[in-house]
Structures are given as C-alpha cells and as structure tokens.
C-alpha cells in the first residue's frame, strides 16, 4: 500500500497530512474551450447521466417526486428506504411539524427528529415509493443502511430498483459482530442482479476493500455536508480532497488488479457549492453526492430546512439541522441554471461545465487531470462574507 | 532524549512544532465492529473504571455528591481539597452568590471568586467531605496543590482516600525553593500507601521525571479546558496532541527502563467534546480529565456557570469564567447518553464507544494505535457554527 | 518549464503550493531614502504614467469622466466597451436604479444587474465615449471581452484608442471552438497598430503563451477584487503572490527568448489597499489593476456601490456586489492623498512611494527585488478589526 | 550573513518564513522554582530597572507624570519630545477634545489627531517637561524622530535626559537623502554623552548595522501594538518572533565582532498581554516596548483611548485609534498587580515573574533559552473569546 506524507505529531506518533476540498483549487493552465463543446455526462454500469450527481438520501430534500425530478434533470435521485416516506403513509404532516418547529434561526430540533424517526419502516411503503419512481421512467435508486440491508433488500429488489445504495457513516468490507447476523458485503453483492453503490469510506485501504466486494461505486467521505458533526461527536474527520485522491488511487490499483474493472468514486461531504463540485471531480471523483443545496429548490419536501441523515439517531445524533433557506428556483434551476446569485449555490452543474471550458477539458475523465493549487487563504471566505447577489 | 520536528523561527533559535487536539483527527481505516462488543474500561493501580474519566477538580462541577455520581456512572470524581467544600461548612450560599453574580453573558466575576476563595481551608471539612464520598462506596479521590501537599496530606490520608491527585498548573519533579520546605515528590510518594496522580506536565522530559517519582498517573497539559488563559497571561501553551504523544513515549521508555511499570497518561486541557475525548485517547492517553462539559448536568453545584481552578488566584488569576449553560440532562446522561443534541457535549463516553466501533477497536489500549490525520480545516468550526440540535 | 513546490494531496495527486498577496509582506532590510527621491513612474510601449495603475473596467467606478480623471492623476483609466456607457445613451438613470436598489447592507441585486446589462451594446456609443476621453488629452484605453473582440475591434480602433485591453475571466492563447469564429490572438495582435493588454492568466505557461501573441502587457489573476466569486462558483482560485511571481518568471524567460521584448505584468485580484498594491509590485508586477477602492471617490459613477464586471452574467454571475461606501474624497485624493484614515484605502500611491522610501528603492523596477517575508498571522486582520480612523 | 528558511512563493522568487509572537509559546520542560527567587531586573548602560519595560512614547499613555510613575514602578518611561506635551503649554484641553470625540465604539478621529498635531513643537516645553521628570529622580528618557533628531537633540541634551530614544517606523543606519541634511547616526551617537536607543529595525542586517552605530539598544519591530496599520497601508509586516530572534543573532555576532559590546534588543509591536511580554523575552529580547495596555491605568492621560504615534501623520496616517478602555487600576497595578481579571492585561510583569518560576529560570538572560513550541492553534483566540473576568 502506498503511503502519503506523514507528520510526527509527537515522539513516534504519526499522522497523515490531509487536505480539505476548500484548501485545493483549480488553476486554468492550458487552452480554453467553448462551453457548448463540453460534456458533463457520467455512466455507471448501464446507466448514463447528463450530470455526475447522486443525491444525498436526506428526507429534507428527497421525496419520490424530487427523486424523479432529479432524474429528469439528468442526475440520480436517491430515496432513503429508511426515511419518512417509508415510515409514514403520508408524511406531509410530519414535514409540516418539522418545518413549523424550525425558527428563522434554528432548524428542526434534534429531539423532534428522534421522535418522528422512531416510527417503524413499513415494507409496503418501500414497495409503493419505488413503484412511484419507476413509473416515471427515470433510473431508480434507494438507500439502505448496512444494519438493515439484509432485512430490507428483498423488498427493495422485488420492487425493482435500478441501483442499490448501501450507505452508513462508515462502512467496511469486514464488519465484526459477536452476536446477530452481520452483512457480508462480498457475498451479498455477488448474489445481486443490480449494481451497488456502497460507503462511506475514508481512506485508500477501505475504499480498495469495498471495491473488492464487487460494488459498482464507492462513496468516499463521512457524513454529508458541513452539517455533519462526526468531528465534534466522534473525533472523526475526513479531509475530503485527500480522501478522494486516495480512493482514486485505489480505483487505479483495482483496475490494474482486475485487468479492467472500473469502480466509480463518489465524493460525499461538505459539497455545497458548484465550486466544491468542480474541486471534488478535479481531485479524482467520478460523481458527487449532493444534498444540502437542493433544499433551496421550490420542490424540496422539507420546505427549506435541512437535516442530515444521522441527525435523528436515537442515542448519538451526529448531524446538525438548519433554519429554512429561501427558495431560489426550481430543482432544475438549482441544478442547471440560470443563476440569479453569484454564490455558487445555483446552476450547480452549469458552473461545472463552464469550469471545464475555462480549463479546456472536454469530458469529466479528462478533467480529473486538471492542475490544482493548494492555498489561497480566505478567498472563499471573503467572497461569502461579501456576497449579496 | 528523542527530539521532535524543530523549526528555526529566527537565526539559530528553534521551536518544536506542536499540534493541538483539534488539528488531529481519527480516520477509520480497517474493519468496523458492533459497538456492543467494545469496552471503554480503564484500570489504574487496583481501581477499575468503566469509562476513562478523571474529573477536573473544579468546584463549578464537583461536590461530594457529584463526585459520587461520577463514580456510580463508572468514572473517577475528584474533589478539590482546597475548594469551596473544604472552606465553607455549607457552601450553598457561596454558590448562589457566584451564580447570581453571573449574567446571561458573563460568568462569576474574578474579583468575587478571589474573595470567596480567600476563606481558609478547614482540615475538619476535608475529613468530612472525604467521609461523605467514601460512605457511598465509590472510589474516592481528592486534589491537593503542590504548595499545600505537605500540609494537607496527613488529613487527607487519615480520612482514607483511595487516590491522591497532586495537581498544579505546572508540576516538576524538582522544585527549587530558597526558603521554606519544598515538596520532594519522590520521597513523598515513596512513603505513601495510596497511588498518586500528579501533573500537569507539558513535555516528554517532565513527564518522564514525574513517572520516576513513583506516581501511578501523570496529568499532561496545562490548565483545564479552553477557559484557561495560561496563554494570554503567561505565554505558556501546550499543544495537547503533541504533549500526549510525547508523554506516551515517556511511558514506553519508562516501562522499558523499569522492566514493566506502566504509568498512566491522563490528558487535560480543552477537552470539551466527545470528539476531543476520542482524539486524546487516540493520541496515546489512557484517560482524560474532563470538567467544563459537566456543568451542563442538572446536578452541577455551580448551576451551569464555570470557573477554572486557577480563576480565583489572588494575584494572577489565569482562568476564565463562563455564563450559565442550559442543563442538558443528568450527569449520567451527559456521560452515557442518550444525547438530544448533535454537538458532542452529551453522551460523551457513548460516543467514544461508537468511535471505537467504527474504527474496529475492542479496547482502549488497542485504540491508541488508530490512524490519525492532520488537517481538515474548519470542519469542526463549521459544524459548531451551524449546530442547532 | 520550471516547476514550483509540489504537495501530494493524495496518493499520486499533486497540487502546487500557492500564496496569496496577504500572506506575503515586505521587509525593510537595507537603507532608507527620502520619499521625495522616489519615482513610481511606469511606461508601457510609448505611454508613460506617474503611477502604475490600470483601472478595473467596472462600470461602478469607470465613466468617460473618471477615466479622464485617472489619466490626469497619472494612471490609466480603462472604460468597458461593453458596459453601461455603450449600452445606454444616458446611463444616469440606470445608475440611479442600481444605487436605489442597494440598501445600507446590500449592493445592487444580481437580477437587476442581469436585466440592465441585457440591453445591447451600440457601436455608435463606443465611438462617442472614446472620443470624449480622447478629447481630454489623456491616454485612452477600453476593454473588450475575448468573445466580442472581433466584432467590436474595428469600431474601437477607428475611434482611436491608445491601448486595447482584451480581458475575460480566463484568456488563453489557444481557444478551442467547434462552431463559430474563434479569436486567434496572435494573428489579431499582429495586424494591430495599437498595443494590447490581455488577460487574465493564472500561471507561468498561460502567461508565457499570451506574451508570445505579441501583447504589450499580460493581466495576471482571475476576477477582480475580493468580490469575485470564481472560487465558490467555479472552484477556481489564483493565489496571487505566486501567480505574479510565476508570470514575472515568464516575463524574464520571454525576454531572453526574444532577446529583449519586455512584456508587462499587470496584477489583478483582491488589490484593495495600498498595502496590497505594494505587495503586488514587490512580487514582480509592473503595474496593478485596481477597481473597488475607487468607489469611495466622490466622482464614482456608481455612487459608492460596487459590482464586479462578471456580476451581471446572464446565466452564471460570478461577482459579488456591495453596499454603498462612504465617499472619502476626490479620485485624486483616493489615489494621491492626503489620507484622513489609516486603513490603506486612500492615498493609495502616496503610500507606495513611502514604502519604497522606507525600503530604500528609487524606482519600481528595483523595488521588484525587495525582501519578502511569508507569515505574520492575523496582523492585517487585527488592524482591520480595530481600525476606526 | 546567516540565512533563514526560504520559501519559493513563485518561480525564482523567495520569501523568508517568519513567525509572529502569538504563533510561538513557552513550554515548561525542566525544574520549577519559587517565584520569589526570580529576578526580572534589566540593566542598560549604567541604568538598572526592576522590570524590562521601555514604554511606547504614545501621548495616549505617557505624560511627564506617568513617565515618572513608570520609573517608580521599576521601568523606563519614554516621553515623546514631539508629542502633545511639547506642542501645548497645557494639553489638558486637547486631551479632553480627543477623548470627547471618541464614542463607546470608536477612538479619536484621525482627522482630529492630524489637526492637533499640526501645532508646532516648542523647544521651551521640551526643556520644561524633561526638567519635570528629572526632578522626580527617575531615569529620564525622551523620544525624537529621526527626521527631527538634529534639530531637537541640543535642547533635549541640554535639559539633561539620561537616555535618548530615536524612533521612527523604520530607521536604517544609512539614510539616503538628495536634499537637506540627513542624520548620520554613527557620527551623531559618537558625539553624544548619553546612551541611545534606536529603531525600529526589522531584520538581522538592519539590526546589526544599527548596533554598529554605537547605539546602546536597538528597537526591533515596526509600529506599535496591533493598532499599527503598516500592513494595510504599506504592505510592511514584521513577524515579531522571527525578527527578535534575528536581532538577537545580530547581538551575538556583534558581541563577537567587538569582543564584548552587548547591545540590547528591545521588542516592539503587538505586545499587549503579559503572555506576549514573556514570549518576546523568550525569543531573545532584553526588554519590551509596551504602550497600549497602559491606557487601562487610571493615570493614563488619554483617559482610556489609544492612538498610535503615527496615527496623526498629516498625509499617510498608519495607526489605528481605539475607543475608551475601562480603567483597571493604577499604573502600578497594571504593571505589578494584583490582577482582578484573567486576560493577561494587568499584573504584566508579575505574570512574567511567574512564567520564569514555572519554567525554572532565575533571571532574564537565562530565560532567553527557554524551550519554545510553534503551534497550538486558536488557544489564545478561544481564551480571548471566552474571557469575562
């Protein structure tokens, strides 16, 4: 296993140096290109997408309807098979409660989230929600947790999803459990007919092991968006630029090891602007998992508030919540523009196309080689502070 | 003596590079594990604890009753033998004064702290407080300052404590004094029947020298919590991740030197979240000294305000104070959960167990080898800024 | 091509380390000099200026009248040939709308900017504006975008400008376009009689290629002032100190390659104080492009508000706007003093002269060799926070 | 000349890495000592002081009376021979105007400062002020600017000062002037009977050259306190920890070169807490120049407001001003305690004594060898944010 830059933090105790996405930036250093000549398309297994987007499964932004809308805009919408839509026949009222409990300064209280998620998941609803999405004709995906994969998979598969997303805070290829039945990912995936995206993984080795389970895609990162509190709660932090680059190295090594199996790297964590999307792909990701910015879409079921998927954990919630955002346009406008503000939170993928054009790249695979610069302190911060568009 | 990374700050003047706890994080990089299969237990001398907690002796959080409650929750509560409980027959009124003098924005004024701590310590009260704790059946510990150890020790030992904590801002194995009787730690400890925890120490050499005095545990760090102002007042700062790792190296070297005496490293300083607890242990600590987060327990004698133990120094106060915190549940809930917020300030040791599970470690000694990453700028900050749970 | 310090951000993925202007400072390290003995003059092609200033073409600060005033103060005013003055016969009312739509906390809304810039450019007005400037006798320059250079150049040249500025976010010497007619800079410049300033460029190679097109000057940097949001929107960031030094290296190499053609490096981006101007020149720039500070001049057509030239982009605006600044004196006073505040935002070039005197340099070319220091954290910030002059 | 760590900021353009005082801290790493056994005394030429303090000559804190009070407390008070006390027969009213023009949020306006300092200096008043100080029996010092040294020196010397301080933003041993009479420091000092302290200098070479002029002390640093805006206005920044260490190296080399002449290094710049004082001495300074913290003394002539000595510059003011501080006690209490707050802004030199005790040093010369640590991010900041003592 290759080793990255190591720092001796104390006598004989070492830490690898890691870099966050906002420490690394793109530098135009060659030709430029018309942005109409640029393609942002992405293909995983048999499924092709116009934009390299896998949504976060947060109920704050994903309903069967918005998952379909994302598909129609060219991305992959992922519904949480263990979320509000599969716990409640009609979650409208629950959404209203959560929204009403938020104030202009605060999001839904954690205690209320814990309470509404205490309602059990209903397999019938899982089937019904998947059907609703399938009927629209878009590529269909749902997320299950590693803990409930064995229990929910039969229902999910019978309902006919196209892609299965197995996602927890940290997923390893080898989970040790003294009691109960543990998920053996390799065996599980081998028996499946649909491609699996699995994660999060935080380093080269875990990513490589997950690739060896037969997954079609590996999610890199821990927690979603800057609202994750894995750092304060668990002491766990994944500097994402480094984690993506490490996972991309695992992808190359696994490609070589298998003589040609290409497993997609999907970046997840603090990706809240079009600039962050471009950086994640520049660091080596094939696609990005984005959630929080979608709450500004008029269709967002949460009505503008946000909560992370682990924000409702019964004993150890690990995600923040947020006060309502002002709507900025339809989901399509948030994804594809036009933007009416200059803060990188609308026209997310139109901006990506323009970055590719300004740096002269034609497609995403080429763009993974773009020149990077480390440093430039405070530029982003300053802009955020000033932004009034 | 081994030497760490040295930087030339000016011509021929060097400074060792040090890292704070919040610069270093944990990276999951191997298997995962059921969190029920994880043990957080810790043993020092003959005393075994379910959680690796030694409390800060601050009167803001420790009374005989809360020391007992901490013991019942599985940790070690430490009462200050030179605090309010040994100066006042009934400190209730003093606590009320301090609490009343705080406002929603400010803690108890330093001048008032200086005034209430001007009352002399009464040996009879020391005896009574220790008896009160012993009667409950928990492991009993009190803190004395190096300056008053010789004077108070006979009383404290006669009252029958299980562990003695000798703690000052900086404690060295060799204190030079022209006049008066200085404490010779080595001789003092050799004559004792109870194990001694001593500190703070800030580097490899001081830690090693303290280990050689015969102490059972060495406290690493200067001042407690981020409220310490040793930095602004004295120009002294101890980047804790590095200090812990250095002390752990001293522990290894002393273990080798003695052919088997294992002296525990107890980390102290700016440990205010479960994430920081996990980091301190990951850097090599055997246990953590935690104080400030306990003020959010309903039982906290200070009623939510905080002051550091050196905040009341008559001529050179070196600790801040803080406005009242909102209660977040019982002491047990603060320590063991469940949490109703996602900010790392409740379920402190349940979170540790989960971090160990996510990184695949079974016990604390193994967990000291977990992979670390340096960097990831602002992740913690952002989460804090957003947290509304 | 020479290579700068490279950091491995992840396995086999590298990023060059870059430094922002505010990370680098000037250190006096030799003789001092009377500031009356110092010259800040600058010459490009046949045109000589008392101060090394090329204005930003933002309509917020540049009108034909202020371009003339800048010329009279010794600098080069650049009018945007695609701005409000060439879209509207009398833009007074548009300016008033933009100013009125700003509040004490916010600048003109992006949507309104998009709307007023939807009006087409009128070639007749281009001609008239240039004539107005020429009639005053100052050196005349206008800015065109790379996209519209071929279309607007005949008009602009016929009107008789002295210098042509071709400026876009990123300009490369080789633009690839499948459809339509692309600008071939080298051929275009070869056919021209007037010297061309072109940019922005972000690295050594792009700067060198632009020099090879025959340009008289190359603009280094992306976006103007800290209001640019290229970072958040596009993931593009150009640490300016490094970019200037790299472009200066390209200037040296091109000088050698051509046996004597000296192409000027003009720094652009986050240059908002006299301190930043001094730093940019110290890093190797021949002149600076400054815009935002000029909005504090009583003559500023925007009346104190600010918007970046790309703030009005119809689909992907990339520049912030700002609330009205209080006027600080005439344009001449902003440029040449005296200053009545100590924040580096007035007497911009008087301050430069004094920095040169304190470091003992007589002219700008010598001053490019002044000693630099990297570091000094927070000094600028603290001063800003405290400044009340 | 020795060379420090150099960073390539761009191709072939280098910057020395410098460190600020607040990046470097003191680490206790040996014995401890009773603080009564510690001496903070300092001697320059024939003059001995109990504390290593040379005051900033700012009129905000220094009057003849406070200069005397500083002397009585054991330090060296420096009156500005070009300040309010030598421009006005009775400056009481001017002080009142400046104080009244301040608000709870802002200090005296720069424009008002410029106006009151436009009054000419009266030689008679210089004589009278010095006599007033001499009569008290303390060591007497005044500051003159390099520009006016030749003109004012005869008056100042005739009045009988003990030490002469020649201080400007930057002073070099070789000032180049085409017109007028320039000060030749070496000749000037050779002719004098009183020792001279001269500065500021910012690097090894300038410090060494100033030592060679025959000065008894060299001031290291540019501007005073964090209120200096040399950074924003001039692009000049002097990371003080590095500058002190470099000047201390010059002191050693000059000591060797002369076979025994010891020139004192006096640190100046952003020294606002007892922690910063301890750090400056730890980096190698013999004494510190402190001003801003003294405004909290009840005797401060400015009544709590602050302005830097260059805040009144007629064309290019370079120092901020500040809103009134609350008085914290007498000048003696600010310098020698006791402190009633834990923020490092009172008992400035009692704290130094305690730091020396905690690190086991007996005198200042030994203390210059104390162990340093680089890093520990945000510790100081956090404490400041929380401090309410």
């Amino acid at each position: 296993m290759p080793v990255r830059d190591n720092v001796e933090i104390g006598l004989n105790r070492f830490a690898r140096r890691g870099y966050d996405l906002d420490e690394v930036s793109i530098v135009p250093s060659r030709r430029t290109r018309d942005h109409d000549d640029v393609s942002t398309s992405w293909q995983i297994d048999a499924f092709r997408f116009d934009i390299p987007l896998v949504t976060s499964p947060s109920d704050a932004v994903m309903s069967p309807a918005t998952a379909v809308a994302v598909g129609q805009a060219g991305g992959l919408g992922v519904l949480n098979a263990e979320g509000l839509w599969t716990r409640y026949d009609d979650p409208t009222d629950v959404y209203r409660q959560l929204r009403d409990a938020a104030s202009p300064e605060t999001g839904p209280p954690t205690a209320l989230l814990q309470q509404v998620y205490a309602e059990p998941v209903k397999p019938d609803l899982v089937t019904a929600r998947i059907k609703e999405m399938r009927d629209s004709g878009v590529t269909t995906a749902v997320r299950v947790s590693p803990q409930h994969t064995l229990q929910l998979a039969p229902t999910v598969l019978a309902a006919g999803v196209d892609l299965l997303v197995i996602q927890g805070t940290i997923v390893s290829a080898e989970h040790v459990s003294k009691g109960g039945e543990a998920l053996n990912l390799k065996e599980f995936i081998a028996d499946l007919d649909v491609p699996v995206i699995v994660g999060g993984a935080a380093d080269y080795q875990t990513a490589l092991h997950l690739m060896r389970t037969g997954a079609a895609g590996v999610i890199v990162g821990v927690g979603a968006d800057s609202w994750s509190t894995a750092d304060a709660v668990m002491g766990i932090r994944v500097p994402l630029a480094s984690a993506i680059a490490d996972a991309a190295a695992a992808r190359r090594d696994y490609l070589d090891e298998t003589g040609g199996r290409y497993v997609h790297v999907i970046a997840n964590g603090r990706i809240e602007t079009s600039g962050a999307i471009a950086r994640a792909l520049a660091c080596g990701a094939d696609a990005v998992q984005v959630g929080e910015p979608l709450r500004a879409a008029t269709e967002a079921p949460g009505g503008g508030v946000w909560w992370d998927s682990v924000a409702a954990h019964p004993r150890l919630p690990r995600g923040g919540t947020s006060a309502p955002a002002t709507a900025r346009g339809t989901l399509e406008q948030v994804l594809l523009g036009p933007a009416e503000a200059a803060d990188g939170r609308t026209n997310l993928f139109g901006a990506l196309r323009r970055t590719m054009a300004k740096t002269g790249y034609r497609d995403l695979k080429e763009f993974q080689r773009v020149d990077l610069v480390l440093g430039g302190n405070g530029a982003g911060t300053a802009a955020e502070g000033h932004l009034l568009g």
Side-chain angles (χ1 to χ4, degrees), chain A residues 108-340:
Chain A
T110 301
L112 179 59
L113 284 165
Q114 289 173 323
Q115 182 192 313
V116 303
Y117 280 89
E119 180 72 21
V121 170
K122 320 282 187 303
D124 284 2
L125 288 175
V126 174
T127 306
R129 301 311 180 195
I130 292 173
K131 180 173 186 313
E132 188 178 342
M133 295 188 288
R134 280 188 66 81
D135 287 352
S136 75
V138 302
T139 306
T140 308
V142 298
R143 174 259 176 184
V144 291
S145 66
Q147 293 83 343
H148 299 115
T149 297
L150 292 178
Q151 173 194 336
L152 284 173
T155 309
V156 162
L157 297 169
V161 291
D162 296 313
L163 283 151
L164 181 63
V165 179
I166 303 177
Q167 185 169 15
T169 302
I170 301 289
V171 172
S172 73
E174 181 197 356
H175 182 78
V176 181
S177 175
K178 278 195 196 155
E181 188 185 9
L183 173 65
N184 181 320
L185 268 176
K186 191 163 187 177
E187 290 176 11
F188 177 80
I189 291 174
D191 291 344
L192 279 192
D193 284 335
V194 303
V196 171
I197 292 172
V198 65
D203 75 328
Y204 171 89
Q205 190 161 323
T206 317
L208 183 62
H209 288 184
L210 288 179
M211 289 172 182
R212 287 178 181 155
T213 64
V218 170
I219 297 169
V220 173
V222 168
D225 308 281
S226 66
W227 313 87
S228 161
T229 58
D231 192 7
V233 176
M234 304 184 68
I236 291 175
R237 196 190 286 162
V238 178
L240 197 57
S242 296
I244 292 169
D246 285 352
R251 181 182 63 207
R252 282 191 301 274
D253 291 351
Y254 182 66
L255 189 70
D256 183 67
E257 172 182 320
T258 56
R261 233 181 72 77
Y262 188 95
V263 182
H264 292 263
V265 170
I266 297 156
N268 176 40
R270 309 194 66 190
I271 300 179
E272 299 182 354
T273 58
S274 47
I277 291 171
R279 287 177 167 117
L281 297 164
C283 287
D286 298 288
V288 289
Q289 193 172 39
V290 171
E292 191 270 342
L294 308 186
R295 71 185 173 106
T298 44
E299 301 98 324
V305 295
W306 171 256
W307 61 92
D308 202 86
S309 38
V310 284
H313 193 284
R315 289 196 65 86
L316 194 66
R318 295 186 297 278
T321 65
S322 77
T326 311
R328 286 160 167 265
T330 62
L331 194 53
E332 192 187 330
Q333 198 177 344
V334 169
L335 295 175
L336 305 176
E340 288 188 1

Side-chain angles (χ1 to χ4, degrees), chain A residues 39 53 80 102 117 120 154 193 203 224 284 339 362-363:
Chain A
S39 163
L53 167 66
N80 190 355
Y117 280 89
D193 284 335
D203 75 328
R362 236 173 347 197
D363 63 43

Side-chain angles (χ1 to χ4, degrees), chain A residues 14 27 39 42-43 79 92 104 125 131 142 146 187 205 237 269 309 325 327 338 351 356 366 382 386 388:
Chain A
F14 294 86
V27 195
S39 163
W42 172 62
Q43 176 157 354
L79 190 75
T92 318
L125 288 175
K131 180 173 186 313
V142 298
E187 290 176 11
Q205 190 161 323
R237 196 190 286 162
S309 38
M356 294 170 71
E366 274 187 5
H386 288 150
L388 303 159

